[in-house]
Amino acid sequence: MGKVPEFYVDPDLCTECNDCIKAMPMAFRKVEDEEGAEAYNANLDESHLPSLQKMMTECPGHAILWRK
């Protein structure tokens, strides 16, 4: 099974809603000493891709982006 492409949370766009952490705790966590989230698990298998794409679409700040 393949892996999900690398992604990240842009801290300048993050609205600190933490919806991504609630929806996908295996991929996102709270930034220490801050309110925003960060992507921390770049080793997700492709079965998580639909959930990740949904989270990217639903993110209020459109802060979850593909790493180029």
Side-chain angles (χ1 to χ4, degrees):
M1 191 172 270
K3 301 289 181 194
V4 169
E6 196 174 345
F7 58 96
Y8 69 101
V9 176
D10 184 327
D12 294 329
L13 299 175
C14 183
T15 63
E16 303 173 357
C17 70
N18 295 322
D19 287 349
C20 57
I21 297 170
K22 294 174 204 152
M24 297 187 71
M26 77 293 288
F28 298 97
R29 65 182 173 199
K30 197 169 180 65
V31 177
E32 193 172 322
D33 298 328
E34 292 183 34
E35 295 299 315
E38 68 180 354
Y40 76 96
N41 186 358
N43 240 357
L44 295 176
D45 67 59
E46 62 190 8
S47 69
H48 290 96
L49 187 57
S51 297
L52 178 60
Q53 288 173 320
K54 183 176 190 282
M55 195 66 254
M56 288 175 146
T57 301
E58 293 178 356
C59 175
H62 303 287
I64 305 167
L65 306 166
W66 297 115
R67 186 148 330 260
K68 297 189 188 223

